[in-house]
Amino acid sequence: MLSEDINAGQGHLRISQTDATKFEIGRNLALTPGKVIFQNDLIQLIQYEPTTPTVLKRPLLIVPPWINKYYILDLAPDKSF
């Protein structure tokens, strides 16, 4: 497994925490429509499209989750923030 992790990181150790082949963007991960409206070396600002008929007037700003993995907010339709 160490060898696989080093190969996945192209020479650097990239510890795998799950089987990445089980996830496909748009099928079972990151299903909410949206787009990156700003990006720099530090952040990506993503604007999601409304998925309900009514929305709040003020936008919601989400800062990096404590685990620094944004997909945790949009795992599946029944688990989407």
Side-chain angles (χ1 to χ4, degrees):
M1 292 183 85
L2 175 61
S3 168
E4 291 175 10
D5 290 346
I6 291 172
N7 286 336
Q10 299 176 353
H12 294 81
L13 181 60
R14 180 176 170 227
I15 298 174
S16 56
Q17 298 177 359
T18 188
D19 182 1
T21 63
K22 301 295 181 191
F23 301 100
E24 183 181 335
I25 293 175
R27 184 175 62 85
N28 57 8
L29 180 69
L31 299 173
T32 304
K35 60 185 174 184
V36 176
I37 59 171
F38 176 79
Q39 178 175 324
N40 64 20
D41 291 339
L42 182 62
I43 69 163
Q44 268 190 339
L45 182 58
I46 303 170
Q47 183 174 10
Y48 291 102
E49 295 178 20
T51 57
T52 59
T54 57
V55 295
L56 297 174
K57 184 175 182 176
R58 250 184 239 150
L60 175 65
L61 175 65
I62 301 171
V63 296
W66 60 96
I67 60 172
N68 203 25
K69 297 186 181 341
Y70 286 97
Y71 63 78
I72 197 78
L73 302 173
D74 192 25
L75 292 175
D78 59 332
K79 299 178 193 166
S80 180
F81 181 74

